[in-house]
Amino acid sequence: MTEATAYAPANIALSKYWGKRDKALNLPCNGSLSISLGELGTTTTVREAETNQLRLNGNLLSPDSGFARKVWAFVDFFQPDRTQSLLIETTNTIPTAAGLASSASGFAALTLALNTFFARQYSERDLSILARQGSGSACRSLWHGFVLWQKGERVDGLDSYATPMASDWRDLRIAVIDVNTATKKTASRDGMNHTARTSPLFSRWTAQAERDLSTISQAIESRDFQTLGETAEANAMMMHATMFAARPALCYWQEESLTALRHVWQLREEGLMIYATMDAGPNVKLLFQAEDQSNIRAQFPDALQINPFQDGPASF
Ligand code: PMV
């Protein structure tokens, strides 16, 4: 194979991963469950080249950059002897303004492209295990739709991988409110390690996260939007509360994040079925149903609306 291209969607966790039991292997302290974002994601092409080169959204990256180091270390999983030089071109279809992390879709697309390029024919399970080692949440970005990452028990991580859930919830909608921020965010890796090490709430968080995961799985099976939304929002709030309790406190929120949350809570009091979730950044993501789409557009005109099941839940 002289060239291989793959696409992977970004994902948002409804029940979150925050805390590693093994930092080198990205093994989580609790399981998590996400929804993939359809056509918002990453396309990656791997081709033969004279020297190793990495392009991100058209720009050549210095081999010394942190991201490039992570990428080349990841390529070693597929080519430990480094005999073949490669050009890796990675392009995000996530609008920068959406402020969504691209590391999950980036490592998932890279895993799939390398698997084809080196004709490895790894199983989906092995691909998820590999992607996890690039970025934990990348193990969930190999599929569209709902994806469950079981935490596993083994020290080698061979039982810690994701699987797609058979559900096609076409009425489900997501929107992203981009909260502008000039402050530098703490990388999720550093943030979760700090939280796990210093927050007295951490063990409560991991226990509750496992319960939330099971509640959300059941809500997906029974198409119970209220339970899904309530649990996803509570899960995100508890994850952030656990960070607030870290010493020193870790806070990804901006003033606008709280303003957006209060707006959501007010609308809910008025009877609108809308719920919020947040990740390792200030942006607020909304969960709602198709019937409320125009209402949500009127309330949050700048939010990017996403229909995650637009083209049906395809698998790769
Ligand atoms: O996979 P990472 O290291 O980017 O961490 C992801 C952490 C959260 O986005 C906050 C939660 C999650 O489960 O995706």
Side-chain angles (χ1 to χ4, degrees), residues 11 13 15-18 20 32 103 135-138 140 188-189 192 239 279-280:
N11 73 75
S15 186
K16 314 273 185 195
Y17 148 59
W18 194 257
K20 302 175 202 277
S32 57
S103 68
S135 163
S137 55
R140 300 185 311 236
S188 55
R189 170 179 300 268
M192 60 178 89
M239 178 181 79
D279 293 297

Side-chain angles (χ1 to χ4, degrees), residues 4-9 74 78 107-117 127 141-143 316:
T5 296
Y7 170 78
F74 189 76
F78 289 82
F107 276 103
L110 181 61
T111 304
L112 294 169
L114 289 169
N115 185 49
T116 307
F117 184 86
L127 291 171
S141 263
L142 296 174
W143 299 273
F316 294 96

Side-chain angles (χ1 to χ4, degrees), residues 3-312:
E3 180 177 317
T5 296
Y7 170 78
N11 73 75
I12 288 176
L14 301 173
S15 186
K16 314 273 185 195
Y17 148 59
W18 194 257
K20 302 175 202 277
R21 67 173 199 279
D22 182 302
K23 291 177 194 144
L25 292 173
N26 287 340
L27 297 180
C29 294
N30 57 268
S32 57
L33 192 160
S34 60
I35 174 84
S36 288
L37 301 187
E39 54 198 26
L40 299 188
T42 304
T43 299
T44 296
T45 299
V46 176
R47 39 175 92 87
E48 287 179 0
E50 295 295 311
T51 55
N52 277 341
Q53 283 184 48
L54 173 62
R55 284 183 187 278
L56 176 60
N57 295 330
N59 303 316
L60 196 62
L61 292 192
S62 153
D64 297 329
S65 71
F67 178 68
R69 280 172 195 276
K70 273 186 82 175
V71 166
W72 293 114
F74 189 76
V75 173
D76 288 349
F77 288 132
F78 289 82
Q79 187 191 218
D81 54 6
R82 301 189 181 184
T83 43
Q84 172 70 64
S85 293
L86 301 174
L87 168 63
I88 298 177
E89 284 189 293
T90 180
T91 312
N92 294 325
T93 58
I94 306 165
T96 316
L100 289 166
S102 54
S103 68
S105 53
F107 276 103
L110 181 61
T111 304
L112 294 169
L114 289 169
N115 185 49
T116 307
F117 184 86
F118 289 111
R120 287 288 185 265
Q121 297 180 316
Y122 284 130
S123 66
E124 292 192 335
R125 189 177 97 164
D126 289 348
L127 291 171
S128 181
I129 288 171
L130 279 163
R132 189 199 74 222
Q133 291 170 75
S135 163
S137 55
C139 78
R140 300 185 311 236
S141 263
L142 296 174
W143 299 273
H144 286 293
F146 295 108
V147 181
L148 193 148
W149 173 13
Q150 58 180 48
K151 82 178 180 77
E153 303 292 341
R154 293 172 58 131
V155 285
D156 61 8
L158 292 181
D159 57 353
S160 182
Y161 55 86
T163 44
M165 294 176 68
S167 173
D168 177 5
W169 193 336
R170 288 181 171 260
D171 284 348
L172 191 74
R173 294 289 181 279
I174 294 166
V176 181
I177 303 172
D178 180 40
V179 169
N180 236 336
T181 168
T183 55
K184 197 179 173 312
K185 95 178 178 73
T186 308
S188 55
R189 170 179 300 268
D190 300 332
M192 60 178 89
N193 291 343
H194 174 68
T195 310
R197 209 174 48 243
T198 68
S199 176
L201 301 185
F202 187 71
S203 59
R204 300 293 288 270
W205 151 251
T206 55
Q208 184 61 43
E210 283 293 341
R211 289 193 288 271
D212 291 343
L213 174 60
S214 128
T215 306
I216 291 176
S217 302
Q218 283 162 29
I220 290 170
E221 258 170 49
S222 56
R223 297 266 164 128
D224 176 351
F225 179 70
Q226 187 174 347
T227 301
L228 177 125
E230 279 174 4
T231 314
E233 184 174 302
N235 178 272
M237 294 301 111
M238 184 167 184
M239 178 181 79
H240 284 277
T242 309
M243 297 183 209
F244 293 157
R247 301 175 181 205
L250 174 60
C251 179
Y252 284 103
W253 296 20
Q254 298 284 311
E255 285 73 1
E256 297 87 340
S257 314
L258 186 57
T259 306
L261 286 175
R262 287 199 190 285
H263 193 167
V264 168
W265 296 332
Q266 178 62 37
L267 291 170
R268 210 156 63 222
E269 246 172 55
E270 292 164 13
L272 195 61
M273 294 267 273
I274 174 178
Y275 300 92
T277 182
M278 289 178 71
D279 293 297
N283 296 331
V284 176
K285 288 120 188 187
L286 307 176
L287 302 167
F288 54 100
Q289 297 171 101
E291 65 195 56
D292 294 321
Q293 215 166 309
S294 50
N295 212 343
I296 302 289
R297 201 179 298 286
Q299 294 292 338
F300 300 96
D302 298 328
L304 172 73
Q305 291 208 9
I306 300 160
N307 179 351
F309 290 99
Q310 198 152 34
D311 303 315

